[in-house]
Amino acid sequence: MALICLCFTGTDGEPVPGHFRVEEAIVGPFLKEGQVLVRTLFLSVDPYMRCRMNEDTGAEYLAPWGLSECVDGGGIGVVELSRCDGLSVDDMVTSFNWHWQTQCLMDEKLLQKVEPQLVDGHISYFLGAVGMPGLTALLGVREKGHVTDGANQTMVVSGAAGACGSVAGQIGRVDGCTRVVGICGSDEKCRVLVEDLGFSAAVNYRQGDVATALRESCPNGVDVYFDNVGGPISDAVIAQMNNDGHVILCGQISQYNKDALQSKNITRERFMVLNYMEKHEAGIIQLSQWVREGQIKARQTLLYFAVAFCSMMKGGNIGKQIIKISD
Ligand code: NDP
């Protein structure tokens, strides 16, 4: 089975399952030298995929999905046949270029081997808290956040109940922020943040005034802001930031309040997880250790194929949105 992209959506269009089709696909016929046959276990859906539904993705490093072609993205699975020296049958492998097929042929150079014991067998964590979103949170906080243990800092995270945000807030707590406050889009997400993930407080941006709720949740102002969303939510947070604060610009570029940033000497630097490839291996080890020790909880939401992507874009997920393909 393969998931096929049927149309481009234009910059404003909302993705719906009808933009995709599931087809029977024939794999093969032959395994070439340097290739493996993999069985897909889990697929990742991520916000950047929305850009791949435009003819012009807006980013040099992102190619649009081809019309009538199988879509691809982050995935993880198990090797079933191998004609590679470096990979054997039953190895677990992951890739950013995984075809959304139940089985597919892949080149060895596109695959990385993963060790299931790093996640106590919870393989899908490699697409979430112990994968790219976890690294984004870890390296974003460590490289741009300037969190200092004992400095009585307050961190705010927008998109806080999502894949990156839920881990970023927990790392803020582990690294020594006195208060960590999440902003997200439902009461259920707020409850998970505070009761399950150890956030100090949470604000539902769909209810009431964000600025008022933030003032109550952050009585000492905001020192570090992990920004996943931009726009009016970020304007409200930045307005309450203390002098010499830091914005970790992880998510979409927003219309922000330049005056406040300048007059308070707040740094606001764009962060790209792919610019820190040399730190990924150590980051994965650190994240897996925290998750196994229970210091960081890995939340995820499991759904099937195109429904999962469309749901995530509307906030249907708590933690990392994952697609389960096979056991
Ligand atoms: P999430 O798991 O957070 O899923 C997306 C979430 O965004 C939804 O659940 C929804 O939650 C929220 N959302 C959707 N529309 C809006 C809106 N208009 N205003 C506010 N919130 C909205 O995704 P990820 O954790 O994978 O990604 C989070 C951000 O980080 C994205 O912007 C992504 O592009 C970026 N990113 C950046 C990387 C980098 O290297 N800089 C790497 C990876 C991701 P809710 O219910 O709260 O609205």
Side-chain angles (χ1 to χ4, degrees):
M1 302 281 271
L3 187 79
I4 307 297
C5 178
L6 290 181
C7 62
F8 293 121
T9 49
T11 45
D12 295 328
E14 186 179 301
V16 295
H19 292 142
F20 301 91
R21 184 176 64 223
V22 178
E23 273 184 4
E24 289 287 337
I26 295 168
V27 177
F30 300 114
L31 204 56
K32 294 187 199 133
E33 195 60 41
Q35 282 191 325
V36 290
L37 174 73
V38 287
R39 177 165 55 88
T40 307
L41 297 177
F42 297 99
L43 296 168
S44 170
V45 288
D46 300 87
Y48 77 86
M49 290 174 164
R50 174 62 189 80
C51 306
R52 300 192 67 186
M53 296 184 75
N54 297 339
E55 274 181 282
D56 176 3
T57 64
E60 272 174 26
Y61 59 91
L62 279 183
W65 281 331
L67 288 183
S68 303
E69 286 178 11
C70 184
V71 307
D72 68 321
I76 195 159
V78 60
V79 174
E80 296 201 315
L81 290 171
S82 175
R83 286 195 64 192
C84 307
D85 294 336
L87 293 172
S88 315
V89 171
D90 290 338
D91 279 349
M92 292 283 175
V93 286
T94 185
S95 171
F96 289 125
N97 305 99
W98 200 283
H99 282 257
W100 283 25
Q101 294 176 197
T102 42
Q103 275 188 315
C104 46
L105 297 181
M106 292 194 68
D107 290 340
E108 180 185 24
K109 60 180 184 302
L110 291 177
L111 293 166
Q112 286 164 284
K113 196 172 158 183
V114 295
E115 302 299 339
Q117 63 271 24
L118 279 181
V119 289
D120 286 342
H122 299 287
I123 297 298
S124 58
Y125 288 3
F126 283 122
L127 299 178
V130 189
M132 191 270 286
L135 285 171
T136 304
L138 175 66
L139 296 173
V141 171
R142 292 273 170 92
E143 297 292 325
K144 305 286 186 191
H146 301 262
V147 171
T148 312
D149 198 5
N152 198 22
Q153 289 168 310
T154 296
M155 174 190 273
V156 169
V157 182
S158 59
C164 299
S166 61
V167 178
Q170 295 183 79
I171 292 173
R173 190 198 65 225
V174 168
D175 278 359
C177 287
T178 313
R179 284 185 76 70
V180 178
V181 175
I183 305 177
C184 58
S186 75
D187 288 343
E188 165 67 0
K189 290 183 179 185
C190 288
R191 190 196 62 70
V192 168
L193 291 182
V194 175
E195 292 179 15
D196 295 351
L197 305 184
F199 282 57
S200 320
V203 172
N204 177 353
Y205 71 86
R206 293 184 205 272
Q207 257 181 14
D209 180 44
V210 172
T212 308
L214 265 182
R215 254 190 300 280
E216 284 167 12
S217 307
C218 309
N220 299 323
V222 179
D223 302 292
V224 183
Y225 174 38
F226 195 101
D227 184 4
N228 277 313
V229 302
I233 293 174
S234 296
D235 289 345
V237 178
I238 289 167
Q240 297 188 32
M241 287 187 74
N242 296 323
N243 290 344
D244 305 323
H246 302 281
V247 180
I248 303 154
L249 185 52
C250 176
Q252 72 201 69
I253 294 168
S254 55
Q255 304 136 28
Y256 54 89
N257 186 338
K258 282 184 185 155
D259 295 341
L261 288 166
Q262 278 167 10
S263 67
K264 295 186 194 169
N265 192 34
I266 295 167
T267 66
R268 182 176 182 275
E269 293 179 54
R270 182 107 188 103
F271 167 77
M272 277 293 292
V273 68
L274 298 178
N275 293 344
Y276 296 88
M277 295 302 278
E278 75 288 357
K279 298 193 174 176
H280 284 197
E281 198 177 332
I284 291 293
I285 302 285
Q286 173 66 85
L287 289 160
S288 75
Q289 189 186 333
W290 277 333
V291 170
R292 279 181 295 161
E293 289 170 356
Q295 292 212 59
I296 284 185
K297 291 189 185 163
R299 287 288 303 222
Q300 51 186 13
T301 304
L302 289 173
L303 277 177
Y304 290 93
F305 264 174
V307 175
F309 172 60
C310 303
S311 167
M312 180 272 298
M313 290 301 292
K314 289 196 291 191
N317 58 313
I318 298 185
K320 175 66 188 167
Q321 179 71 64
I322 297 281
I323 302 176
K324 182 174 181 185
I325 300 295
S326 61
D327 291 320

